[in-house]
Amino acid sequence: MRVGAPQIRRQLVSVFRAWGMSEAHADTTADMMVETDLRGVDSHGIGMLPTYDQEFRNGRLNMRPTFKKVRETPAMALIDADASLGHPPAAYGMNLAVDKCLAVGVGVVAVFNSHHFGAAGCYARIAAEPVMGTNPLAFAAPAKRNAPFELDMATTTVAAGKVRVYKLNHKPLPSGWVVDGDGKTVTDSAKGFQHVSDRDGGITPLGGSREAGSHKGYGLAVMVHVLAGALAGASFSPIRNQTQKKSDPHNIGHFFMAIDPRAFREEGAFEEDLDQVIDVLHNAKRVDANQPVLVAGDPERANKKERLEQGVPIPDDLMEQLRAVAKNADVPFVLSGT
């Protein structure tokens, strides 16, 4: 079924408000989740709502948080998110990093005591400048004639939410995405999702195998945790899981960096150089004459154009889960489509 973005946003806001979120935080969270769905990242949009509902009912989420600056200098800040769902403090942190970079050239903000914040790329696009999150990392840079370069990727072969999307659609997993506790490939999406959830096996590092470079994905994942976890003072899940109670917050961390190109180059020079790079890549020789050469951000922009016209696809299984979330929140179920 296809559902229009305005309906999805309305459903999300109604649930978040029923949970006790402020109007501003509900709007921010819904906007980020809808943008994620429109760009084709189905693993991190409205499909996450049932998970958030469970976390809310377990008492892990503070719906009326007060963000606190624990440390601050002109170029950096450390933010305590007060056990909030991740989208509002992440947007706050990225915007604060941008403000600082405009003042002194570079701004770095780390956030701790947060939760899942959706797709990292949403926050990179706030500045069209660099940002890294927990296990994913995202980087964006502005051009002038071309659309921004926008990289948003997991440091595993696939994001955990993508396994859930395959399960909801009853599709087999590609070989190499998920392995069991013995390191053997699992292609049944329901079993694969169970392995990911139970941490008996799980998703392979980016590359899949040592021969294909999985040690590089492993290294990237640790690097991101060093910045978003260790530097921020957030938790490391293998340690957290040993003692975490059902209602304990996850204490997830985020790391944001914004750079003002004008601190390094004459105004407009960076964007002109990036335009030339993007032009060269777009005009590179095609392996398939019918498939254009793309740069990061191109597929997502194409998805957004198509989904604004045709609606966002929502699998039947997910639709039933969303209906239950609305019922639990005692709000009308407004999702319908074609």
Side-chain angles (χ1 to χ4, degrees):
M1 179 183 291
R2 294 268 184 161
V3 179
Q7 287 176 268
I8 293 175
R9 188 185 189 283
R10 189 159 65 250
Q11 187 72 77
L12 289 169
V13 169
S14 69
V15 169
F16 295 144
R17 294 290 281 149
W19 290 353
M21 257 193 193
S22 69
E23 183 177 357
H25 283 183
D27 286 344
T28 295
T29 305
D31 287 344
M32 292 298 184
M33 292 176 70
V34 170
E35 178 69 11
T36 299
D37 275 324
L38 286 173
R39 293 173 70 85
V41 190
D42 297 325
S43 53
H44 286 64
I46 195 171
M48 284 300 302
L49 191 62
T51 299
Y52 298 158
D53 179 58
Q54 187 61 55
E55 299 285 60
F56 169 68
R57 297 188 181 285
N58 286 343
R60 281 182 168 159
L61 297 175
N62 178 6
M63 289 299 160
R64 286 284 179 171
T66 300
F67 306 148
K68 304 180 187 71
K69 293 179 182 176
V70 178
R71 296 173 182 263
E72 186 175 25
T73 71
M76 63 74 61
L78 176 64
I79 307 298
D80 181 347
D82 198 19
S84 172
L85 187 59
H87 307 72
Y92 173 76
M94 186 72 249
N95 279 295
L96 181 58
V98 171
D99 290 343
K100 289 180 176 294
C101 94
L102 293 175
V104 298
V106 176
V108 178
V109 175
V111 178
F112 70 98
N113 199 12
S114 185
H115 202 276
H116 189 271
F117 72 169
C122 286
Y123 309 100
R125 286 189 293 279
I126 289 174
E129 287 152 3
V131 55
M132 288 189 211
T134 46
N135 266 349
L137 62 85
F139 175 92
K144 186 174 292 182
R145 289 181 291 98
N146 290 292
F149 176 89
E150 298 173 344
L151 175 67
D152 184 1
M153 56 175 276
T155 51
T156 46
T157 301
V158 64
K162 193 70 173 290
V163 179
R164 174 174 43 79
V165 170
Y166 269 64
K167 172 179 174 287
L168 289 168
N169 286 281
H170 305 284
K171 292 172 59 178
L173 298 174
S175 179
W177 276 18
V178 175
V179 295
D180 62 18
D182 296 322
K184 297 178 181 177
T185 290
V186 177
T187 57
D188 181 283
S189 56
K191 291 180 180 178
F193 185 70
Q194 195 65 48
H195 281 293
V196 173
S197 301
D198 294 344
R199 300 181 179 87
D200 174 30
I203 301 170
T204 57
L206 185 63
S209 65
R210 177 60 188 267
E211 293 75 15
S214 64
H215 56 293
K216 298 176 183 178
Y218 166 60
L220 278 174
V222 175
M223 180 199 75
V224 173
H225 175 74
V226 169
L227 293 172
L231 186 65
S235 68
F236 186 46
S237 58
I239 297 174
R240 181 186 73 228
N241 294 335
Q242 294 174 13
T243 59
Q244 187 178 28
K245 298 180 178 64
K246 190 174 183 180
S247 60
D248 288 345
H250 286 315
N251 186 17
I252 288 174
H254 317 306
F255 177 85
F256 305 98
M257 178 184 288
I259 301 173
D260 185 351
R262 294 171 300 180
F264 296 84
R265 304 285 304 279
E266 293 297 321
E267 185 161 5
F270 168 83
E271 291 84 354
E272 290 175 3
D273 281 358
L274 183 55
D275 269 328
Q276 293 179 33
V277 171
I278 293 173
D279 289 342
V280 168
L281 295 173
H282 278 155
N283 292 318
K285 183 179 179 181
R286 302 180 181 186
V287 173
D288 182 343
N290 296 316
Q291 296 293 326
V293 177
L294 305 177
V295 298
D298 287 345
E300 291 82 2
R301 284 185 285 270
N303 282 332
K304 184 173 182 178
K305 181 176 184 297
E306 187 266 339
R307 290 185 174 197
L308 282 171
E309 295 171 355
Q310 304 295 326
V312 174
I314 297 182
D316 292 341
D317 286 6
L318 176 57
M319 192 66 81
E320 289 308 305
Q321 294 177 21
L322 296 173
R323 193 183 300 276
V325 170
K327 183 179 180 181
N328 288 339
D330 196 24
V331 298
F333 185 69
V334 300
L335 300 180
S336 62
T338 57

